[in-house]
Amino acid sequence: DVKVTQSSRYLVKRTGEKVFLECVQDMDHENMFWYRQDPGLGLRLIYFSYDVKMKEKGDIPEGYSVSREKKERFSLILESASTNQTSMYLCASRSRTGQFFGPGTRLTVL
Amino acid sequence: GQNIDQPTEMTATEGAIVQINCTYQTSGFNGLFWYQQHAGEAPTFLSYNVLDGLEEKGRFSSFLSRSKGYSYLLLKELQMKDSASYLCAVRGGRDDKIIFGKGTRLHILP
């Protein structure tokens, strides 16, 4: 079974803090993704990566950056957290036949 | 660009059958996914259709018509635990991204 893990299930940060969300997959997938999910807006793609050290902007990259130093790890960075970044963050890893999500991190920015 | 439409909410009765429709527009279609998501949890992969036709997996079946830009998820012998949101997602576009619909919230009545 594919296993995608995220570093925290719940996180509370203050406005202006730098926030790191970590995602690790154990299936040697090349493709990894970061989404956020908000009521009424659905899942929106923030950034994705198709290989180590490669990154591409998704639909809502503003205020975020990513790092892919190793194949199994894809990190999402909020350089200076703001209250409108309070959301559920979901990491996903993709093979030829499916895309699989981690358990999600619910981030609250105060 | 990519666009996905699915009904916002549906209601069905325990033991019955329900069909959740999804229509999409995309350039360069590479497949369509269905996910189940219970409240507060990450989406769980249900199916992936690349070719036209019906794919059956236990109580769940997924159908695809590429020429019509149309898919449906069919749930048989509904159980209370099937109460969840069902997300349609399309893989394609210039960057081979997966874009999600806003989901259909399915309510099961006893």
Side-chain angles (χ1 to χ4, degrees), chain A residues 90-108:
Chain A
L90 289 153
C91 174
S93 172
R94 189 170 86 189
S95 67
R96 283 191 305 110
T97 56
Q99 177 164 297
F100 306 91
F101 285 89
T105 297
R106 186 165 293 281
L107 172 67
T108 301

Side-chain angles (χ1 to χ4, degrees), chain A residues 9 35 37 40-41 43 45 48 50 59 88 90 94-103, chain B residues 33 35 37 40-45 47-48 50 87 91 95-102:
Chain A
R9 289 300 302 272
Y35 295 85
Q37 188 174 32
L41 297 176
L43 276 155
L45 182 63
F48 59 101
Y50 287 165
D59 299 317
M88 169 71 99
L90 289 153
R94 189 170 86 189
S95 67
R96 283 191 305 110
T97 56
Q99 177 164 297
F100 306 91
F101 285 89
Chain B
F33 297 83
Y35 288 85
Q37 187 176 26
E41 298 181 10
T44 303
F45 172 78
S47 66
Y48 179 42
V50 179
L87 309 178
R91 177 179 175 179
D95 296 324
D96 195 30
K97 296 182 296 190
I98 296 176
I99 300 298
F100 285 77
K102 292 184 179 177

Side-chain angles (χ1 to χ4, degrees), chain B residues 6-75:
Chain B
Q6 54 181 127
T8 304
E9 284 191 84
M10 296 181 71
T11 301
T13 305
E14 192 177 14
I17 299 173
V18 71
Q19 177 174 312
I20 303 174
N21 295 325
C22 171
T23 58
Y24 64 89
Q25 292 106 35
T26 184
S27 55
F29 176 82
N30 287 327
L32 186 141
F33 297 83
W34 282 98
Y35 288 85
Q36 180 190 61
Q37 187 176 26
H38 286 101
E41 298 181 10
T44 303
F45 172 78
L46 291 177
S47 66
Y48 179 42
N49 293 65
V50 179
L51 302 176
D52 290 351
L54 185 69
E55 299 221 359
E56 298 184 68
K57 210 184 272 189
R59 294 189 298 115
F60 292 7
S61 304
S62 55
F63 171 83
L64 175 66
S65 169
R66 289 172 295 170
S67 62
K68 295 181 180 175
Y70 169 69
S71 173
Y72 67 73
L73 181 69
L74 191 72
L75 292 74

Side-chain angles (χ1 to χ4, degrees), chain B residues 80-100:
Chain B
M80 297 304 293
K81 67 178 182 180
D82 297 330
S83 291
S85 288
Y86 291 86
L87 309 178
C88 174
V90 172
R91 177 179 175 179
R94 181 177 55 84
D95 296 324
D96 195 30
K97 296 182 296 190
I98 296 176
I99 300 298
F100 285 77

